[in-house]
């Protein structure tokens, strides 16, 4: 029972990391209709940057915030390159983000080498209903809750948030009322970079990362985001938590090597079930 | 024919190209302050290209577009922010004026278009075509424009609904001096509402003049008014009660629909 609780909470924490990454994918896709395959890179850059800043003597908090800002700048840069030119299609922008992810590998290896790195987070663990749980897990869960609440408020209650949604909803109408759709897309990319970066600085103390950790992150983040059609943060959050917990259970009770495979198989099953339900619904309404 | 009032929209020798295709070829057009101007022409003539150039959405290859004051668009196909509420759609219409006190106050739109009050919290995508067109109107009004460009007022709407919307345009024009550039494929509707008009065909202005002149013109009548040209007095097809300036016309169209009548509530949902 205490093992179960321990796996559950660390699984939820990792799932929260995936959820933050996924929320960045969703934010960018909502506004620009671009699937950003460089999203995992933001987490890697932020995680590695935070480690370097901490070793350079910056205090906790400041180092992490600075690393998130760096990830935001990386997001802005990716957005500029992928969508800055007028009339770029979402498809070609997707290819550009994929390419930029590989370019980033070279830069990251140059700066940080190719070994996995970690940095200390909120050290220690607490005893919780008989289980020893890392304090960092609670930090990740808490920060994720705050970030999702803030995102919800921003998109559903604030005027600029509504304008961002409007760009995705109807770009032509957005232009007609004077919204600069290209610039709003860049705002979304910067925001997506910061969300990915937040995932990175929070996860790195729990899972050491290297330049190619982006594959694991984007795989899980994408699987979660697809649940909400890449447009809804709520289902993405739910999907990410399911993935995180499933992976922790597989790794804890069975074999760590299979955790991603099992979790993704689960995700695929949910997606197939979802799409078959959707098709049935469409047939129903078409009648 | 030339407007005596200063123009709010002035387009001169405008050329718009998409790749190698020329959509507009040296088009010139003016809309005077407080004027109702029609732009008619068949599908693909370049009407929306002209609209987009005026709005700054399309960059012209050459020529001038000058707008004095604020211009707002009621876009072709209504173009709702479908998953946002009617209220949010209206508020976003004030984007150009954001930051000014009261810019996002939607109550003045509900005063002018009371039909929308009932659906203000509904998602715009769930409304009927006529209601959506009214939201598009309201959204344009939120910009506090000096001139509104309406791209295809009647497209896909029932005649009764169109008549009600036309009545709204007429009263906004009469009441607050709102200038209107009305783009229409239904030339009769447009020339009935407006004092002056242009005919655009294959990217060129083919005819222009007062609504009467255009309605009487053989070509226009044959092409757009769906009947043989009448070179003599405007007979059955000519509207009654036309003043010398061609702007004051009765609300005779729309099958006897009274002013402001029959807009919301009665049309069927698609
Ligand atoms: N974005 C575009 N790209 C390429 N061609 C376009 C585009 N928009 C319009 N066109 C072409 O320009 C011509 C004029 O179109 P448009 O301005 O929409 O006419 P209208 O509004 O009168 O129907 C048409 O031949 C149309 O195919
Ligand atoms: Mg058009």
């Amino acid at each position: 029972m205490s093992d179960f609780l321990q796996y559950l909470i660390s699984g939820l924490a990792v799932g929260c990391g995936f959820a933050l990454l996924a929320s960045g994918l969703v934010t960018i896709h909502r506004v620009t209709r671009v699937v950003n395959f460089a999203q995992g890179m933001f987490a890697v850059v932020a995680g590695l940057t935070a480690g370097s800043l901490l070793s350079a003597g910056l205090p906790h908090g400041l180092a992490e915030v600075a690393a998130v800002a760096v990830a935001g700048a990386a997001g802005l840069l990716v957005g500029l390159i992928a969508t800055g030119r007028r009339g770029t299609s979402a498809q070609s922008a997707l290819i550009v983000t994929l390419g930029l992810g590989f370019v980033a590998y070279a830069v990251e290896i140059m700066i940080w080498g190719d070994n996995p790195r970690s940095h200390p987070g909120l050290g220690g663990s607490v005893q919780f209903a008989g289980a020893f749980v890392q304090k960092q897990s609670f930090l990740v869960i808490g920060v994720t809750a705050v970030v999702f609440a803030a995102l919800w408020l921003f998109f559903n209650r604030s005027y600029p948030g509504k304008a961002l949604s409007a760009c995705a909803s109807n770009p032509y109408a957005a232009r007609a009322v004077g919204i600069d759709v290209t610039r709003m897309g860049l705002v979304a990319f910067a925001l997506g970079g910061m969300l990915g970066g937040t995932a990175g600085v929070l996860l790195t103390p729990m899972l050491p990362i290297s330049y190619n950790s982006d594959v694991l992150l984007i795989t899980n983040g994408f699987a979660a985001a697809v649940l909400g059609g890449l447009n809804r943060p709520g289902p993405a959050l739910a999907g990410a938590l399911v993935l995180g917990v499933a992976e922790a259970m597989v790794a804890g009770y069975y074999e760590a090597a299979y955790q991603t495979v099992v979790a993704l198989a689960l995700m695929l099953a949910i997606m197939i079930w979802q799409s078959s339900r959707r098709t049935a619904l469409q047939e129903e309404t078409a009648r | 024919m030339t407007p005596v009032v200063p123009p709010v929209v002035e387009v001169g020798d405008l050329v718009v190209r998409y790749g190698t295709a020329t959509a507009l070829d040296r088009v010139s057009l003016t809309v005077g302050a407080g004027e109702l101007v029609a732009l008619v022409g068949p599908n693909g003539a370049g009407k929306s290209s002209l609209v987009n150039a005026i709005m700054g959405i399309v960059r012209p290859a050459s020529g001038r577009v000058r707008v004095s004051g604020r211009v707002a668009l009621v876009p072709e196909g209504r173009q709702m922010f479908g998953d946002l509420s009617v209220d949010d759609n209206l508020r976003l219409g004030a984007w150009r004026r954001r930051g000014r006190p009261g810019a996002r106050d939607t109550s003045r739109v509900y005063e002018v278009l009371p039909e929308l009050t009932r659906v203000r919290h509904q998602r715009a995508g769930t409304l009927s075509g006529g209601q959506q067109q009214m939201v598009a109107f309201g959204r344009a009004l939120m910009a506090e424009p000096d001139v509104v460009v309406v791209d295809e007022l009647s497209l896909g709407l029932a005649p009764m609904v169109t008549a009600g919307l036309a009545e709204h345009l007429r009263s906004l024009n009469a009441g607050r001096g709102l200038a209107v550039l009305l783009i229409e494929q239904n030339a009769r509707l447009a020339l009935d509402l407006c004092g002056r008009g242009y005919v655009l065909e294959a990217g060129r202005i083919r005819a222009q003049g007062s609504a009467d002149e255009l309605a009487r013109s053989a070509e226009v009548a044959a092409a757009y008014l769906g009947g043989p040209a009448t070179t003599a007095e405007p007979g059955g097809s000519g509207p009654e009660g036309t003043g010398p300036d061609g702007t004051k016309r009765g609300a005779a169209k729309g099958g006897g629909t009274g002013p402001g009548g029959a807009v919301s509530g009665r049309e069927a949902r698609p």
Side-chain angles (χ1 to χ4, degrees):
Chain A
M1 184 59 208
S2 67
D3 278 353
F4 175 82
L5 201 61
Q6 194 175 320
Y7 300 152
L8 179 69
I9 294 176
S10 68
L12 283 175
V14 172
C16 281
F18 296 158
L20 287 170
L21 197 91
S23 71
L25 273 174
V26 166
T27 299
I28 291 170
H29 184 264
R30 259 175 89 118
V31 180
T32 66
R33 296 182 183 177
V34 174
V35 180
N36 173 35
F37 276 105
Q39 186 67 23
M41 178 261 276
F42 302 151
V44 170
V45 164
L48 295 175
T49 302
S52 296
L53 293 176
L54 286 167
S55 344
L58 242 67
H60 269 300
L62 196 59
E64 280 86 354
V65 168
V68 168
V70 169
L76 185 61
L77 190 65
V78 169
L80 270 173
I81 298 171
T83 64
R85 262 194 43 209
R86 237 176 123 106
T88 316
S89 77
Q91 283 87 337
S92 49
L94 178 153
I95 304 293
V96 174
T97 65
L98 201 58
L100 287 173
F102 287 115
V103 173
Y105 278 8
V107 178
E108 288 156 12
I109 292 173
M110 245 159 51
I111 301 176
W112 291 290
D114 56 1
N115 288 321
R117 285 164 166 252
S118 187
H119 63 258
L122 198 59
S125 51
V126 288
Q127 205 172 355
F128 180 76
F132 284 95
V133 183
Q134 288 183 309
K135 281 187 189 163
Q136 180 74 14
S137 294
F138 290 112
L139 179 68
V140 178
I141 294 169
V143 170
T144 304
V146 170
V147 168
F148 267 81
L151 270 183
W152 187 88
L153 283 175
F154 178 67
F155 277 111
N156 292 293
R157 288 285 176 267
S158 84
Y159 196 51
K162 291 264 168 68
L164 278 172
S165 302
C167 294
S169 170
N170 193 326
Y172 179 73
R175 280 197 191 93
V177 299
I179 298 171
D180 185 335
V181 174
T182 306
R183 187 182 302 169
M184 285 304 208
L186 295 179
V187 170
F189 264 97
L191 198 56
M194 285 163 59
L195 289 164
T198 308
V201 298
L202 289 171
L203 283 182
T204 309
M206 302 169 69
L207 319 161
I209 56 165
S210 57
Y211 70 97
N212 60 1
S213 300
D214 68 321
V215 177
L216 174 93
L217 291 168
I218 189 76
T219 310
N220 284 282
F222 185 70
V226 160
L227 269 187
L230 285 170
N231 285 327
R232 288 155 60 214
L237 175 62
L241 294 180
V242 168
L243 277 172
V245 171
E247 287 177 22
M249 294 295 170
V250 171
Y253 287 114
Y254 187 50
E255 167 65 60
Y258 296 137
Q259 62 179 30
T260 308
V261 177
V262 170
L264 289 180
L266 179 73
M267 219 59 205
L268 197 63
I270 295 177
M271 273 155 64
I272 290 170
W273 172 72
Q274 243 195 354
S275 72
S276 68
R277 210 180 45 149
R278 200 171 295 147
T279 320
L281 202 73
Q282 276 160 359
E283 276 167 11
E284 198 62 44
T285 47
R287 220 170 276 163
Chain B
M1 190 178 113
T2 318
V4 288
V5 281
V8 278
V9 176
E10 207 176 351
V11 172
D13 288 323
L14 187 71
V15 178
V16 168
R17 292 202 183 90
Y18 301 107
T20 53
T22 302
L24 291 179
D25 187 10
R26 281 166 292 145
V27 165
S28 299
L29 166 151
T30 56
V31 180
E35 206 186 8
L36 280 160
V37 176
L39 175 67
V40 300
N43 223 338
K47 303 183 298 294
S48 293
S49 300
L50 178 58
V51 167
N52 290 336
I54 292 172
M55 297 306 298
I57 296 172
V58 160
R59 205 174 310 169
S62 65
R64 307 182 306 278
V65 173
R66 201 175 306 139
V67 178
S68 51
R70 242 189 313 270
V71 57
L73 173 65
V74 177
E76 182 175 345
R78 306 183 266 283
Q79 309 290 344
M80 293 291 95
F81 300 120
D83 37 15
L84 299 183
S85 70
V86 167
D87 229 23
D88 282 338
N89 270 269
L90 295 181
R91 274 197 277 267
L92 284 168
W95 182 257
R96 285 198 176 87
R97 303 178 57 246
R98 67 187 179 283
R100 299 197 199 176
R104 280 179 261 160
D105 178 10
T106 52
S107 59
R108 57 214 156 91
V109 168
Y110 294 115
E111 267 164 41
V112 183
L113 305 168
E115 299 92 330
L116 288 179
T117 315
R118 199 161 49 85
V119 293
R120 63 185 296 171
H121 299 299
Q122 221 162 303
R123 282 178 35 187
T126 65
L127 303 180
S128 71
Q131 288 170 319
Q132 288 190 350
Q133 189 70 298
M134 207 161 315
V135 174
F137 261 52
R139 192 171 60 187
L141 292 180
M142 284 296 288
E144 302 235 302
D146 301 288
V147 54
V148 173
V149 179
V150 182
D151 194 357
E152 307 278 10
L153 177 73
S154 70
L155 196 71
L157 299 181
M160 277 222 305
V161 176
T162 308
L165 288 165
E167 197 47 51
H168 275 302
L169 269 186
R170 204 194 307 264
S171 68
L172 281 166
N173 172 260
R176 18 172 114 178
L178 180 70
V180 178
L181 176 59
L182 177 66
I183 284 84
E184 257 295 329
Q185 285 188 42
N186 179 346
R188 193 181 300 281
L189 172 84
L191 294 179
D192 209 25
L193 191 67
C194 302
R196 214 156 58 78
Y198 296 82
V199 178
L200 188 70
E201 255 180 54
R204 292 196 174 161
I205 299 286
R206 296 288 162 172
Q208 57 181 304
S210 75
D212 287 339
E213 287 166 347
L214 288 178
R216 258 183 246 139
S217 133
E219 283 173 74
V220 175
Y224 304 112
L225 299 176
T230 48
T231 42
E233 274 290 299
S237 70
E240 309 281 322
T242 307
D245 59 355
T247 51
K248 187 128 174 75
R249 289 165 182 271
K253 289 293 152 180
T257 307
V263 176
S264 78
R266 272 191 246 171
E267 75 273 24
R269 281 196 191 180

